[in-house]
Amino acid sequence: MKKSEYISFAFLRSALTMQNPYHSTEQVLDWIREQNRKILVNVRQVPFAQMLPTWQFDAEGNLRHTSGKFFSIEGIRVQTNYGNVAEWEQPIINQPEIGYLGIITKEMDGVLYFLLQAKVEPGNVNNVQLSPTLQATKSNYSQVHKGNKPLYLEYFQNAKPEQILLDQLQSEQGARFLRKRNRNIIIRVEEEIPVYDNFIWVTLGQIKALASMDNIVNMDTRTVISGIPLHALEGIELPEKKAWGYDLLHDAHPCHTTTEILSWMTSLKCKYELNITSIPLNQVGHWRTTDVAIEHEAGRFFKVIAAQVEINNREVKTWCQPLVAPAQQGLTAFVIKKINGTYHFLVQGKVESGNFDTLEMAPTVQCITDSYVSIRNAQPFVDYVLNAKPEQIRVDTLQSEEGGRFYQEQNRNLIIEADDSFPVDNLPENYIWVSFQQLMLFLQFNNYLNIQSRSLISLIRMI
Amino acid sequence: MKKSEYISFAFLRSALTMQNPYHSTEQVLDWIREQNRKILVNVRQVPFAQMLPTWQFDAEGNLRHTSGKFFSIEGIRVQTNYGNVAEWEQPIINQPEIGYLGIITKEMDGVLYFLLQAKVEPGNVNNVQLSPTLQATKSNYSQVHKGNKPLYLEYFQNAKPEQILLDQLQSEQGARFLRKRNRNIIIRVEEEIPVYDNFIWVTLGQIKALASMDNIVNMDTRTVISGIPLHALEGIELPEKKAWGYDLLHDAHPCHTTTEILSWMTSLKCKYELNITSIPLNQVGHWRTTDVAIEHEAGRFFKVIAAQVEINNREVKTWCQPLVAPAQQGLTAFVIKKINGTYHFLVQGKVESGNFDTLEMAPTVQCITDSYVSIRNAQPFVDYVLNAKPEQIRVDTLQSEEGGRFYQEQNRNLIIEADDSFPVDNLPENYIWVSFQQLMLFLQFNNYLNIQSRSLISLIRMI
């Protein structure tokens, strides 16, 4: 893939500037605060019975929307030779639709601006976060809920090939969703377009600056921008002060060729088996459904609750929906290390129950489905990243999972630069050093990098 | 991906020479003929009952090996919005194992030699074809059949990363196999290794020369060598006379960027739905199981037969197994065309029932599951390739499908250079022009190019 192919000058300038004559970054923050002030969100856990008749349990105990659309909570049996547990059963979100996560961009004065939305989601810890221009499941935009057509949908549906800057199928959380993927897409418009009340034009540099704060940029925005090929900045003179991310670009001596990394993935996919069998939710062992929750008998992992959502803005909207609430805050971390003058990410090949293709590239540490305090001895490198010295920390923020599905879930996102004590060789076999340029190559193809690794990549700043 | 990364000088020289001091190409052909003379293969269609107790029908009418291993013939219901038929049922081969298709290479005097095997398969039209060094399912090498361990297996199992030249998961026929993939792997040894009786060292140039004849190089060898990054030859001076394939290398002006091609695939994967449900084989509509065949009521597509195989070499081996016999000879063809000075392949995004990820890149024309005579008006470009003038034909050979599963199945493989009458624009939406360099990039990642397109690519000669 040639660099010139897929990144425009305006794209680069957007990544490399926080100078926005329309809204400074401080103004964007004020505007989000203002959106938050104007809105009252009330999410109340209610008995499942209160979601009737819209959401109900079928004869097998699976929780479904009456229309058969949106998503359902079902049971699966997992059999695998990966990890310490050979077989388990669990609830999982089944949403066999590919949704849009789309951002509209527009070049103004040689800089590309991204149209983001201050969007309320019932699960958000702080009401409003910066979301893509369009965030819609097929059920949404096929108008199953008889609401209005999502704003800006037609721009994506009618986009011509030359308007498309990025268009990738990317995975969602493999431990929570059954083979779910979304269409991550960025398009460019040339014409004037309406900017509705809770939408705003920002640069990519600003998005990344905002993402260095807790819970401002939502997961959907993060996964879309993670695919922007910023590795094409290699060798380009920067107009503003360089950030640490700029040092990642230099790629003279990667530890492994791309062929070796592909071979590593192939061998792991051949070694690890993952057999998923659908089972009725009411037969999932060690889980129970009460009047108010689908939960693990020991309170571990997550629970599914029924939420009554009330949003007071100019009008009052009320609805009920299931939400998945994690049992604890999670941790994801990339360890990076300069080896032979080139920065590398320590990538983990991780099997998760809902993965589309057995395993994907995950961060060095990913503990979001169970308490990392209890398993810190069981998972490699957890202690190392938790004990990193301040000067090793490149990223340390709390980032939210998608608030339309997950209730107040935030995970700690860390990027840690390894010190000399960190091993270069003799890693466990499902770990490998991958350069930034190589990671970005894999990211262009579907189902190579998992959503947690993409979230971390989205946090890398060049300025 | 840097060119220097993944192709060695010895690799190139192997592709660019038919000078083999050990065996000239004529000698290899003589050697294959000799292997054929020494062997007597007798394949007789027998009633299914004769395969008892090794192969039997279960209560649902599915045909299974008693061990539960190898493969089974099962039923599926297919629902899709692709093509003219929205729903059908069919038998399919289910073999949820990743097998090895492996070639050992060794550098001798600066040229890489490939160790191929003259292998008998019961379904072969001509007994013996040139196969990879190792061709083994997990059931084979886990010794389910209590036979001997496959020759050379340990070289692949013990290969170190630096010995691996290519290691890819690649798909099998999507209309016949349920999500089947194999590990396509080429390794390099440095030490002396035994060359057993029916094995031979040949250059890549020789393999490609032999593949320009009918049914000499088997499907497994073709898929493995298709992944060799010969596009890296761009700009390299050739030692021997150039073949037409060399003109494909020049890639100055591809019609589409890689981002555009990825976007085209993403949009098709979002548009086309493919829902596969397992059903008992005895409930598959329009198909019936008789004493001697599982067949379509109108004799279309293919049938599954029971074969008694007797191979007389130095010793006599006899066994029974199911084989899939096609209803007719098929046709696969790439149309290529020079556009803006760069050669392009007309690629089809094709949904097939057993595909791992809905659709893969297929040749311009692919009619192997039904008679192309009857559907030539239904499928685009069939007439065009069948009426090509002699000077447009770059490849025209009969190539066999895998003889371990398919009974005497050979398909016509065509590469046709389009003349001026062929349209550049206004193609059906699931067709796109892709340059050779771009095709080879996609081929490195799993489940982008289907096996028929890889077979055609393997036939491209540089000298």
Side-chain angles (χ1 to χ4, degrees):
Chain A
M1 209 180 301
K2 292 167 189 166
K3 278 181 188 172
S4 56
E5 264 195 15
Y6 54 139
I7 195 152
S8 73
F9 188 63
F11 225 147
L12 295 183
R13 291 214 28 212
S14 181
L16 297 179
T17 188
M18 289 192 286
Q19 308 303 326
N20 179 343
Y22 311 102
H23 324 275
S24 72
T25 307
E26 199 42 61
Q27 284 168 335
V28 177
L29 274 170
D30 284 342
W31 176 81
I32 296 172
R33 285 186 203 111
E34 174 66 21
Q35 299 277 336
N36 263 324
R37 263 195 300 275
K38 285 197 305 200
I39 215 160
L40 202 77
V41 181
N42 194 354
V43 177
R44 215 156 45 87
Q45 188 178 353
V46 293
F48 286 119
Q50 209 160 316
M51 297 200 295
L52 288 168
T54 317
W55 289 89
Q56 48 191 294
F57 290 100
D58 67 15
E60 299 192 314
N62 303 312
L63 184 57
R64 297 187 187 283
H65 193 263
T66 312
S67 67
K69 302 279 178 177
F70 294 105
F71 61 94
S72 56
I73 310 290
E74 305 178 5
I76 55 170
R77 179 177 301 123
V78 183
Q79 291 161 303
T80 182
N81 57 352
Y82 171 92
N84 298 321
V85 184
E87 183 170 330
W88 70 88
E89 297 170 353
Q90 66 165 88
I92 201 158
I93 308 171
N94 189 6
Q95 187 172 5
E97 294 185 335
I98 299 176
Y100 271 113
L101 303 179
I103 298 179
I104 290 179
T105 65
K106 185 170 161 63
E107 192 176 321
M108 297 184 268
D109 295 322
V111 172
L112 210 60
Y113 287 84
F114 290 62
L115 188 61
L116 296 190
Q117 177 183 12
K119 191 171 198 303
V120 186
E121 293 281 10
N124 284 355
V125 290
N126 51 353
N127 297 349
V128 159
Q129 296 188 9
L130 282 178
S131 307
T133 321
L134 176 69
Q135 189 176 310
T137 64
K138 205 171 235 183
S139 295
N140 284 145
Y141 63 80
S142 313
Q143 296 172 278
V144 171
H145 64 320
K146 302 182 177 64
N148 293 317
K149 208 170 146 182
L151 292 172
Y152 302 107
L153 173 65
E154 65 277 15
Y155 290 91
F156 294 92
Q157 290 180 322
N158 302 329
K160 299 200 178 66
E162 60 272 20
Q163 285 182 264
I164 294 172
L165 299 175
L166 176 154
D167 187 3
Q168 304 164 343
L169 275 190
Q170 298 288 6
S171 54
E172 298 240 350
Q173 289 90 325
R176 305 276 181 78
F177 283 101
L178 188 61
R179 302 190 192 102
K180 174 94 177 77
R181 299 190 293 187
N182 284 312
R183 184 173 187 176
N184 289 226
I185 181 167
I186 301 179
I187 62 169
R188 179 171 41 197
V189 299
E190 302 215 330
E191 70 272 31
E192 285 297 313
I193 63 167
V195 176
Y196 296 105
D197 210 26
N198 51 334
F199 287 80
I200 196 165
W201 290 113
V202 290
T203 69
L204 183 54
Q206 286 182 305
I207 299 173
K208 286 177 170 275
L210 291 161
S212 71
M213 302 168 216
D214 293 350
N215 300 313
I216 299 287
V217 177
N218 88 343
M219 177 55 106
D220 300 318
T221 304
R222 298 201 308 280
T223 167
V224 176
I225 68 165
S226 73
I228 296 173
L230 288 188
H231 58 303
L233 284 166
E234 189 184 6
I236 288 174
E237 209 48 43
L238 296 198
E240 300 195 27
K241 195 172 151 290
K242 288 174 191 172
W244 65 277
Y246 189 78
D247 295 331
L248 302 177
L249 298 174
H250 185 66
D251 195 57
H253 301 292
C255 290
H256 304 283
T257 63
T258 309
T259 300
E260 283 169 1
I261 299 167
L262 279 166
S263 176
W264 169 81
M265 276 200 96
T266 299
S267 67
L268 293 180
K269 284 183 183 177
C270 292
K271 173 171 180 179
Y272 294 127
E273 286 166 17
L274 177 66
N275 294 316
I276 302 299
T277 319
S278 279
I279 59 172
L281 186 61
N282 59 21
Q283 286 176 26
V284 169
H286 303 292
W287 288 73
R288 63 183 167 217
T289 300
T290 69
D291 289 346
V292 294
I294 302 163
E295 61 190 10
H296 187 260
E297 59 186 16
R300 289 173 65 188
F301 310 116
F302 59 85
K303 59 184 178 181
V304 181
I305 58 172
Q308 188 184 54
V309 185
E310 189 182 300
I311 293 184
N312 286 278
N313 199 342
R314 261 158 294 165
E315 50 190 299
V316 181
K317 270 195 227 167
T318 309
W319 73 89
C320 284
Q321 72 162 87
L323 283 173
V324 174
Q328 68 287 309
Q329 184 183 304
L331 172 70
T332 70
F334 261 128
V335 171
I336 62 171
K337 188 174 170 68
K338 201 173 204 172
I339 305 169
N340 299 327
T342 295
Y343 271 104
H344 290 78
F345 289 67
L346 186 55
V347 167
Q348 176 185 182
K350 189 171 175 67
V351 176
E352 295 188 89
S353 50
N355 277 356
F356 190 85
D357 191 3
T358 311
L359 65 90
E360 297 187 4
M361 293 181 175
T364 321
V365 169
Q366 178 183 317
C367 312
I368 56 171
T369 47
D370 207 353
S371 165
Y372 56 87
V373 178
S374 66
I375 57 171
R376 57 195 295 170
N377 296 318
Q379 271 211 30
F381 312 118
V382 176
D383 262 340
Y384 185 83
V385 302
L386 289 177
N387 294 321
K389 297 182 203 87
E391 65 270 22
Q392 291 181 260
I393 298 173
R394 298 286 161 269
V395 164
D396 185 1
T397 53
L398 292 175
Q399 300 291 349
S400 296
E401 299 298 310
E402 219 275 287
R405 294 288 170 275
F406 300 108
Y407 183 63
Q408 303 209 332
E409 175 163 15
Q410 48 183 350
N411 293 305
R412 191 173 172 196
N413 280 230
L414 282 170
I415 300 183
I416 301 295
E417 178 156 359
D419 59 11
D420 291 342
S421 75
F422 197 89
V424 173
D425 301 315
N426 299 318
L427 299 166
E429 77 167 348
N430 60 324
Y431 289 79
I432 195 168
W433 292 109
V434 180
S435 77
F436 184 58
Q437 302 277 343
Q438 290 172 330
L439 264 189
M440 292 306 298
L441 173 69
F442 284 106
L443 209 163
Q444 316 297 310
F445 298 89
N446 56 241
N447 296 99
Y448 279 89
L449 269 72
N450 78 354
I451 193 166
Q452 287 80 17
S453 60
R454 300 198 313 276
S455 171
L456 284 163
I457 286 171
S458 76
L459 305 179
I460 295 171
R461 299 176 67 178
M462 296 293 153
I463 54 158
Chain B
M1 209 180 303
K2 293 168 188 165
K3 279 182 185 170
S4 56
E5 263 195 15
Y6 52 4
I7 195 152
S8 72
F9 187 64
F11 226 146
L12 295 182
R13 293 216 24 213
S14 181
L16 297 178
T17 188
M18 289 191 289
Q19 309 304 324
N20 179 345
Y22 311 102
H23 324 275
S24 72
T25 308
E26 200 41 62
Q27 284 169 335
V28 177
L29 273 169
D30 284 343
W31 177 81
I32 296 171
R33 286 186 202 111
E34 175 65 21
Q35 298 279 335
N36 263 325
R37 263 194 300 276
K38 287 195 304 197
I39 215 160
L40 203 78
V41 181
N42 194 355
V43 177
R44 214 156 46 86
Q45 189 179 353
V46 295
F48 285 119
Q50 210 160 317
M51 298 201 295
L52 288 169
T54 317
W55 289 89
Q56 48 191 291
F57 290 101
D58 67 16
E60 300 192 313
N62 303 310
L63 184 57
R64 298 186 187 284
H65 194 264
T66 311
S67 67
K69 303 279 178 179
F70 295 106
F71 60 94
S72 56
I73 310 290
E74 306 177 5
I76 55 170
R77 178 177 301 123
V78 184
Q79 291 161 304
T80 182
N81 57 350
Y82 170 92
N84 299 322
V85 184
E87 183 169 331
W88 72 88
E89 296 170 354
Q90 67 165 88
I92 200 157
I93 308 171
N94 188 5
Q95 187 171 8
E97 292 185 336
I98 299 175
Y100 270 113
L101 303 179
I103 298 179
I104 290 178
T105 65
K106 186 172 160 66
E107 192 176 323
M108 297 184 269
D109 295 322
V111 172
L112 211 61
Y113 287 83
F114 290 63
L115 188 61
L116 296 190
Q117 177 183 13
K119 191 171 199 304
V120 186
E121 293 281 11
N124 284 354
V125 291
N126 52 353
N127 297 348
V128 159
Q129 295 188 9
L130 282 179
S131 308
T133 321
L134 176 68
Q135 189 176 311
T137 64
K138 205 172 233 182
S139 295
N140 284 147
Y141 63 81
S142 312
Q143 297 172 276
V144 172
H145 66 316
K146 303 182 179 64
N148 295 319
K149 209 169 145 181
L151 293 173
Y152 302 106
L153 173 65
E154 64 277 15
Y155 290 91
F156 294 93
Q157 290 181 320
N158 303 328
K160 298 197 180 67
E162 60 272 21
Q163 285 182 263
I164 295 172
L165 299 173
L166 176 153
D167 188 1
Q168 303 164 342
L169 275 190
Q170 297 288 7
S171 55
E172 296 239 349
Q173 290 91 324
R176 306 277 182 78
F177 282 102
L178 187 61
R179 304 192 190 100
K180 172 100 175 74
R181 300 189 293 187
N182 283 314
R183 184 174 186 176
N184 288 227
I185 180 167
I186 301 179
I187 62 169
R188 179 171 43 197
V189 299
E190 303 217 327
E191 70 271 31
E192 283 296 314
I193 64 168
V195 175
Y196 295 105
D197 211 26
N198 50 336
F199 287 80
I200 197 165
W201 289 114
V202 291
T203 70
L204 183 55
Q206 285 183 305
I207 299 172
K208 286 176 170 278
L210 292 161
S212 71
M213 302 170 215
D214 292 350
N215 300 313
I216 300 287
V217 177
N218 89 342
M219 176 55 104
D220 300 317
T221 305
R222 299 202 306 282
T223 165
V224 176
I225 69 166
S226 72
I228 295 173
L230 288 188
H231 59 303
L233 284 165
E234 188 185 6
I236 288 174
E237 213 41 49
L238 295 197
E240 298 196 28
K241 194 172 150 292
K242 287 174 193 174
W244 64 278
Y246 189 78
D247 296 330
L248 302 178
L249 298 174
H250 185 65
D251 194 59
H253 300 291
C255 290
H256 303 284
T257 63
T258 310
T259 301
E260 283 170 1
I261 299 166
L262 279 167
S263 176
W264 169 83
M265 279 201 93
T266 299
S267 67
L268 293 179
K269 284 183 183 179
C270 292
K271 173 172 181 177
Y272 295 127
E273 286 166 17
L274 177 66
N275 294 316
I276 302 298
T277 319
S278 279
I279 59 173
L281 186 61
N282 58 20
Q283 286 176 25
V284 169
H286 304 292
W287 288 73
R288 64 186 166 215
T289 300
T290 70
D291 290 346
V292 295
I294 301 163
E295 61 191 10
H296 187 260
E297 60 186 17
R300 291 173 65 187
F301 310 115
F302 59 85
K303 60 184 178 180
V304 181
I305 59 173
Q308 187 184 55
V309 185
E310 190 183 297
I311 293 185
N312 287 281
N313 198 343
R314 261 158 296 167
E315 51 191 298
V316 181
K317 270 196 227 165
T318 310
W319 71 90
C320 285
Q321 71 164 85
L323 283 173
V324 174
Q328 67 286 311
Q329 184 182 304
L331 172 70
T332 69
F334 261 127
V335 172
I336 62 171
K337 187 172 171 68
K338 201 174 204 170
I339 305 169
N340 298 327
T342 296
Y343 271 104
H344 289 79
F345 289 67
L346 187 55
V347 167
Q348 177 186 182
K350 191 172 174 68
V351 176
E352 295 189 89
S353 50
N355 278 357
F356 189 84
D357 191 4
T358 312
L359 66 90
E360 296 186 3
M361 293 181 173
T364 321
V365 168
Q366 178 182 318
C367 312
I368 55 172
T369 47
D370 207 354
S371 165
Y372 57 86
V373 178
S374 67
I375 57 171
R376 57 195 295 172
N377 296 320
Q379 271 211 31
F381 313 118
V382 176
D383 263 341
Y384 185 85
V385 304
L386 289 177
N387 294 322
K389 297 182 203 85
E391 65 270 21
Q392 293 179 262
I393 297 172
R394 299 286 162 270
V395 164
D396 185 2
T397 53
L398 291 174
Q399 300 291 349
S400 295
E401 299 298 310
E402 219 276 288
R405 294 288 171 275
F406 300 107
Y407 184 63
Q408 304 209 332
E409 175 164 15
Q410 48 183 350
N411 294 305
R412 191 171 172 199
N413 280 230
L414 283 170
I415 300 182
I416 302 294
E417 179 156 358
D419 59 11
D420 290 340
S421 76
F422 196 88
V424 173
D425 302 313
N426 298 320
L427 300 165
E429 75 164 352
N430 60 323
Y431 289 80
I432 195 169
W433 291 110
V434 180
S435 77
F436 184 59
Q437 301 277 344
Q438 290 171 330
L439 263 189
M440 292 306 297
L441 173 68
F442 284 106
L443 210 164
Q444 315 297 309
F445 297 89
N446 56 243
N447 296 99
Y448 279 89
L449 269 72
N450 78 355
I451 193 165
Q452 287 79 17
S453 60
R454 300 198 313 275
S455 173
L456 284 163
I457 286 171
S458 77
L459 306 179
I460 295 170
R461 299 176 66 179
M462 296 292 152
I463 54 157

mmCIF file of all heavy atoms in Angstrom, chain A residues 68-87:
data_model
loop_
_atom_site.group_PDB
_atom_site.id
_atom_site.type_symbol
_atom_site.label_atom_id
_atom_site.label_comp_id
_atom_site.label_asym_id
_atom_site.label_seq_id
_atom_site.Cartn_x
_atom_site.Cartn_y
_atom_site.Cartn_z
ATOM 1 N N GLY A 68 -37.715 -8.791 17.202
ATOM 2 C CA GLY A 68 -36.686 -9.711 16.706
ATOM 3 C C GLY A 68 -35.447 -8.973 16.232
ATOM 4 O O GLY A 68 -34.478 -9.594 15.804
ATOM 5 N N LYS A 69 -35.460 -7.644 16.322
ATOM 6 C CA LYS A 69 -34.308 -6.861 15.841
ATOM 7 C C LYS A 69 -33.448 -6.418 17.027
ATOM 8 O O LYS A 69 -33.507 -7.000 18.089
ATOM 9 C CB LYS A 69 -34.818 -5.634 15.072
ATOM 10 C CG LYS A 69 -35.708 -5.990 13.885
ATOM 11 C CD LYS A 69 -34.871 -6.375 12.696
ATOM 12 C CE LYS A 69 -35.758 -6.784 11.528
ATOM 13 N NZ LYS A 69 -34.999 -7.107 10.329
ATOM 14 N N PHE A 70 -32.679 -5.365 16.836
ATOM 15 C CA PHE A 70 -31.735 -4.884 17.842
ATOM 16 C C PHE A 70 -30.819 -6.025 18.288
ATOM 17 O O PHE A 70 -30.178 -6.625 17.443
ATOM 18 C CB PHE A 70 -32.460 -4.222 19.013
ATOM 19 C CG PHE A 70 -33.161 -2.968 18.570
ATOM 20 C CD1 PHE A 70 -34.539 -2.946 18.402
ATOM 21 C CD2 PHE A 70 -32.446 -1.826 18.262
ATOM 22 C CE1 PHE A 70 -35.183 -1.808 17.957
ATOM 23 C CE2 PHE A 70 -33.083 -0.680 17.810
ATOM 24 C CZ PHE A 70 -34.459 -0.680 17.662
ATOM 25 N N PHE A 71 -30.825 -6.342 19.556
ATOM 26 C CA PHE A 71 -29.921 -7.392 20.015
ATOM 27 C C PHE A 71 -30.658 -8.318 20.968
ATOM 28 O O PHE A 71 -31.802 -8.038 21.350
ATOM 29 C CB PHE A 71 -28.690 -6.780 20.698
ATOM 30 C CG PHE A 71 -28.996 -5.946 21.909
ATOM 31 C CD1 PHE A 71 -28.962 -6.496 23.183
ATOM 32 C CD2 PHE A 71 -29.314 -4.589 21.790
ATOM 33 C CE1 PHE A 71 -29.243 -5.723 24.306
ATOM 34 C CE2 PHE A 71 -29.597 -3.810 22.912
ATOM 35 C CZ PHE A 71 -29.568 -4.375 24.171
ATOM 36 N N SER A 72 -30.028 -9.409 21.321
ATOM 37 C CA SER A 72 -30.607 -10.297 22.315
ATOM 38 C C SER A 72 -29.502 -10.750 23.252
ATOM 39 O O SER A 72 -28.319 -10.647 22.930
ATOM 40 C CB SER A 72 -31.273 -11.492 21.637
ATOM 41 O OG SER A 72 -30.343 -12.161 20.820
ATOM 42 N N ILE A 73 -29.903 -11.210 24.423
ATOM 43 C CA ILE A 73 -28.944 -11.802 25.361
ATOM 44 C C ILE A 73 -29.201 -13.306 25.330
ATOM 45 O O ILE A 73 -30.299 -13.759 25.644
ATOM 46 C CB ILE A 73 -29.134 -11.260 26.795
ATOM 47 C CG1 ILE A 73 -29.185 -9.720 26.816
ATOM 48 C CG2 ILE A 73 -28.040 -11.798 27.713
ATOM 49 C CD1 ILE A 73 -27.893 -9.024 26.520
ATOM 50 N N GLU A 74 -28.192 -14.042 24.908
ATOM 51 C CA GLU A 74 -28.350 -15.484 24.731
ATOM 52 C C GLU A 74 -27.255 -16.221 25.500
ATOM 53 O O GLU A 74 -26.370 -15.598 26.070
ATOM 54 C CB GLU A 74 -28.269 -15.839 23.236
ATOM 55 C CG GLU A 74 -29.273 -15.065 22.399
ATOM 56 C CD GLU A 74 -29.162 -15.375 20.912
ATOM 57 O OE1 GLU A 74 -28.360 -16.257 20.545
ATOM 58 O OE2 GLU A 74 -29.876 -14.723 20.135
ATOM 59 N N GLY A 75 -27.325 -17.530 25.457
ATOM 60 C CA GLY A 75 -26.303 -18.318 26.128
ATOM 61 C C GLY A 75 -25.370 -18.976 25.127
ATOM 62 O O GLY A 75 -25.767 -19.293 24.005
ATOM 63 N N ILE A 76 -24.116 -19.133 25.496
ATOM 64 C CA ILE A 76 -23.190 -19.937 24.689
ATOM 65 C C ILE A 76 -22.390 -20.863 25.601
ATOM 66 O O ILE A 76 -22.160 -20.561 26.776
ATOM 67 C CB ILE A 76 -22.191 -19.092 23.848
ATOM 68 C CG1 ILE A 76 -21.393 -18.109 24.724
ATOM 69 C CG2 ILE A 76 -22.900 -18.371 22.718
ATOM 70 C CD1 ILE A 76 -20.241 -17.426 23.990
ATOM 71 N N ARG A 77 -21.997 -21.992 25.015
ATOM 72 C CA ARG A 77 -21.019 -22.870 25.655
ATOM 73 C C ARG A 77 -19.718 -22.697 24.891
ATOM 74 O O ARG A 77 -19.690 -22.737 23.656
ATOM 75 C CB ARG A 77 -21.467 -24.318 25.613
ATOM 76 C CG ARG A 77 -20.442 -25.283 26.256
ATOM 77 C CD ARG A 77 -20.921 -26.728 26.275
ATOM 78 N NE ARG A 77 -22.150 -26.817 27.019
ATOM 79 C CZ ARG A 77 -23.304 -27.301 26.531
ATOM 80 N NH1 ARG A 77 -23.354 -27.767 25.294
ATOM 81 N NH2 ARG A 77 -24.391 -27.326 27.266
ATOM 82 N N VAL A 78 -18.645 -22.466 25.617
ATOM 83 C CA VAL A 78 -17.339 -22.202 25.019
ATOM 84 C C VAL A 78 -16.415 -23.369 25.333
ATOM 85 O O VAL A 78 -16.287 -23.763 26.490
ATOM 86 C CB VAL A 78 -16.729 -20.900 25.598
ATOM 87 C CG1 VAL A 78 -15.407 -20.569 24.925
ATOM 88 C CG2 VAL A 78 -17.713 -19.752 25.489
ATOM 89 N N GLN A 79 -15.794 -23.941 24.309
ATOM 90 C CA GLN A 79 -14.783 -24.979 24.521
ATOM 91 C C GLN A 79 -13.509 -24.527 23.828
ATOM 92 O O GLN A 79 -13.543 -24.149 22.648
ATOM 93 C CB GLN A 79 -15.250 -26.312 23.943
ATOM 94 C CG GLN A 79 -16.427 -26.907 24.720
ATOM 95 C CD GLN A 79 -17.161 -27.947 23.915
ATOM 96 O OE1 GLN A 79 -17.634 -27.659 22.807
ATOM 97 N NE2 GLN A 79 -17.267 -29.149 24.450
ATOM 98 N N THR A 80 -12.428 -24.531 24.555
ATOM 99 C CA THR A 80 -11.179 -24.034 23.969
ATOM 100 C C THR A 80 -9.979 -24.660 24.664
ATOM 101 O O THR A 80 -10.084 -25.073 25.830
ATOM 102 C CB THR A 80 -11.094 -22.487 24.068
ATOM 103 O OG1 THR A 80 -9.887 -22.037 23.440
ATOM 104 C CG2 THR A 80 -11.111 -22.017 25.525
ATOM 105 N N ASN A 81 -8.891 -24.758 23.951
ATOM 106 C CA ASN A 81 -7.640 -25.204 24.565
ATOM 107 C C ASN A 81 -6.727 -24.016 24.871
ATOM 108 O O ASN A 81 -5.546 -24.171 25.118
ATOM 109 C CB ASN A 81 -6.925 -26.218 23.660
ATOM 110 C CG ASN A 81 -6.653 -25.642 22.275
ATOM 111 O OD1 ASN A 81 -7.127 -24.553 21.938
ATOM 112 N ND2 ASN A 81 -5.907 -26.363 21.466
ATOM 113 N N TYR A 82 -7.304 -22.825 24.840
ATOM 114 C CA TYR A 82 -6.569 -21.599 25.187
ATOM 115 C C TYR A 82 -6.813 -21.285 26.657
ATOM 116 O O TYR A 82 -7.944 -21.388 27.127
ATOM 117 C CB TYR A 82 -7.069 -20.456 24.305
ATOM 118 C CG TYR A 82 -6.581 -19.067 24.675
ATOM 119 C CD1 TYR A 82 -5.430 -18.551 24.097
ATOM 120 C CD2 TYR A 82 -7.289 -18.283 25.581
ATOM 121 C CE1 TYR A 82 -4.994 -17.270 24.428
ATOM 122 C CE2 TYR A 82 -6.860 -17.008 25.911
ATOM 123 C CZ TYR A 82 -5.705 -16.500 25.337
ATOM 124 O OH TYR A 82 -5.281 -15.242 25.661
ATOM 125 N N GLY A 83 -5.807 -20.891 27.366
ATOM 126 C CA GLY A 83 -5.990 -20.478 28.763
ATOM 127 C C GLY A 83 -6.186 -21.657 29.692
ATOM 128 O O GLY A 83 -6.000 -22.815 29.313
ATOM 129 N N ASN A 84 -6.577 -21.342 30.912
ATOM 130 C CA ASN A 84 -6.628 -22.368 31.958
ATOM 131 C C ASN A 84 -7.981 -23.038 32.085
ATOM 132 O O ASN A 84 -8.110 -24.035 32.784
ATOM 133 C CB ASN A 84 -6.260 -21.741 33.308
ATOM 134 C CG ASN A 84 -4.849 -21.183 33.293
ATOM 135 O OD1 ASN A 84 -3.953 -21.787 32.704
ATOM 136 N ND2 ASN A 84 -4.664 -20.035 33.901
ATOM 137 N N VAL A 85 -9.005 -22.458 31.472
ATOM 138 C CA VAL A 85 -10.348 -23.010 31.621
ATOM 139 C C VAL A 85 -10.782 -23.582 30.270
ATOM 140 O O VAL A 85 -10.874 -22.869 29.279
ATOM 141 C CB VAL A 85 -11.333 -21.917 32.088
ATOM 142 C CG1 VAL A 85 -12.710 -22.512 32.344
ATOM 143 C CG2 VAL A 85 -10.808 -21.198 33.319
ATOM 144 N N ALA A 86 -10.995 -24.889 30.241
ATOM 145 C CA ALA A 86 -11.233 -25.557 28.965
ATOM 146 C C ALA A 86 -12.675 -25.414 28.485
ATOM 147 O O ALA A 86 -12.948 -25.523 27.289
ATOM 148 C CB ALA A 86 -10.884 -27.036 29.072
ATOM 149 N N GLU A 87 -13.582 -25.175 29.417
ATOM 150 C CA GLU A 87 -14.981 -25.101 29.015
ATOM 151 C C GLU A 87 -15.758 -24.240 29.995
ATOM 152 O O GLU A 87 -15.564 -24.342 31.202
ATOM 153 C CB GLU A 87 -15.591 -26.523 28.972
ATOM 154 C CG GLU A 87 -17.025 -26.517 28.495
ATOM 155 C CD GLU A 87 -17.562 -27.923 28.222
ATOM 156 O OE1 GLU A 87 -16.748 -28.802 27.852
ATOM 157 O OE2 GLU A 87 -18.770 -28.124 28.365
#
